[in-house]
Amino acid sequence: MRALQTAATGMMAQELNVQVISNNIANVRTTGYKRQRVHFQDLLYEHYRRAGSATSEQNTMVPAGISIGSGVKTVSTGRVMTQGNMTPTEKQFDVAIRGEGFFRIRMPDGRTAYSRDGSFDLDAQGQIVTRDGYQVEPGITVPNNATSVSINAQGTVEAILPGQTAPQQLGQIQLARFINKVGLESLGDNLFIETAGSGPAIDGVGGGEGFGNLQQNYLEEGNVQAVTELSSLIAAQRAYEMNSKVISAADQMMQSTTQIIR
């Protein structure tokens, strides 16, 4: 009976949906995390009678046909790239982007990755790096005798050095944005890389055309809404249960048919 396979596709789809929701909930406190959303499409149909088929030589037609679908499939688990809440941290190397843009991160293999996680620090050489020690482009080194460091809305990094009254400019944090940021590929560790779907990176700086501003001493929270995710989890569970009941009903019908034939 086809209903068994059709309901099975529904159960598999909702199982994947629950996996995505659980990942969102697990990352509810992850800095800069962008929640995922599952998108479904119906599968192919078998047409027993097509709409518009002729029913007589006088050109009368069938107003509605007979089509039986074969279930559901998952087509994407795209990310929702909305802004997360800004949280003050009182750490001078914590930086959040308010608006469009990603930080450019130099990976150990030379590739450039992109991130919304601005929880930066200094390495042993005084360079601004991520929590994993990856360099924040373009590579800014803070002198070890700097008394204070400031980062303005455009990403310009300045430091006060002993014996100087005016701040010394050290560099400017670079940003990037994408025509289709949903097309970025997730690497984990709060990092993304560009793909053919995202298009090439458009470089810029904070406050530039199409780019947001940088906020020092702040971090961007993940955009997961716990209540929404829990509601989606309940709905996915109910859908899974309904498909399970369809399988049970189809199995009982097949058993009844077999008994009648015997």
Side-chain angles (χ1 to χ4, degrees):
M1 183 176 287
R2 178 177 298 172
L4 289 170
Q5 287 76 26
T6 301
T9 66
M11 293 180 69
M12 289 187 290
Q14 293 308 319
E15 181 180 352
L16 186 145
N17 193 16
V18 170
Q19 290 177 3
V20 171
I21 293 170
S22 67
N23 186 58
N24 288 338
I25 294 175
N27 286 280
V28 69
R29 297 292 296 171
T30 300
T31 303
Y33 177 79
K34 303 302 178 184
R35 68 183 180 89
Q36 290 180 286
R37 181 179 177 184
V38 184
H39 298 272
F40 301 107
Q41 286 182 353
D42 50 353
L43 290 173
L44 295 174
Y45 286 78
E46 185 171 351
H47 300 281
Y48 293 93
R49 191 180 191 186
R50 294 183 179 274
S53 300
T55 56
S56 71
E57 296 180 355
Q58 285 71 39
N59 294 325
T60 55
M61 291 186 242
V62 175
I66 301 174
S67 301
I68 305 298
S70 54
V72 62
K73 65 178 180 179
T74 305
V75 291
S76 70
T77 55
R79 292 190 180 273
V80 180
M81 293 291 194
T82 55
Q83 177 82 48
N85 294 329
M86 309 283 277
T87 302
T89 64
E90 300 181 357
K91 292 191 63 178
Q92 65 178 350
F93 292 109
D94 282 348
V95 186
I97 303 173
R98 186 172 61 184
E100 289 293 324
F102 293 84
F103 296 108
R104 295 173 57 91
I105 309 298
R106 178 64 60 182
M107 301 288 288
D109 60 5
R111 292 184 299 168
T112 298
Y114 305 90
S115 179
R116 293 282 295 191
D117 181 1
S119 53
F120 303 140
D121 218 322
L122 299 181
D123 64 8
Q125 288 73 43
Q127 288 190 326
I128 299 178
V129 296
T130 68
R131 294 293 183 184
D132 292 315
Y134 303 154
Q135 184 185 92
V136 180
E137 292 187 348
I140 300 173
T141 301
V142 178
N144 58 10
N145 60 342
T147 57
S148 67
V149 177
S150 63
I151 303 173
N152 66 15
Q154 289 72 46
T156 301
V157 182
E158 296 179 329
I160 299 294
L161 301 179
Q164 297 182 359
T165 56
Q168 177 179 327
Q169 184 171 325
L170 305 177
Q172 188 171 24
I173 295 175
Q174 295 179 357
L175 300 181
R177 62 184 178 89
F178 297 86
I179 294 176
N180 177 31
K181 55 190 175 183
V182 177
L184 292 169
E185 179 182 336
S186 302
L187 292 180
D189 299 327
N190 292 351
L191 298 174
F192 300 92
I193 57 172
E194 70 176 58
T195 66
S198 68
I202 302 170
D203 298 331
V205 295
E209 184 178 357
F211 288 89
N213 296 320
L214 274 62
Q215 301 290 314
Q216 186 182 15
N217 308 125
Y218 282 84
L219 287 177
E220 180 188 7
E221 294 181 354
N223 63 355
V224 177
Q225 299 292 329
V227 174
T228 301
E229 296 300 324
L230 290 174
S231 298
S232 298
L233 180 61
I234 293 172
Q237 182 182 5
R238 294 290 181 267
Y240 187 93
E241 291 174 352
M242 286 188 289
N243 280 284
S244 176
K245 290 181 179 179
V246 170
I247 289 180
S248 297
D251 180 58
Q252 292 177 4
M253 293 170 66
M254 290 177 64
Q255 291 180 6
S256 298
T257 302
T258 303
Q259 291 175 357
I260 293 174
I261 294 174
R262 288 178 181 176

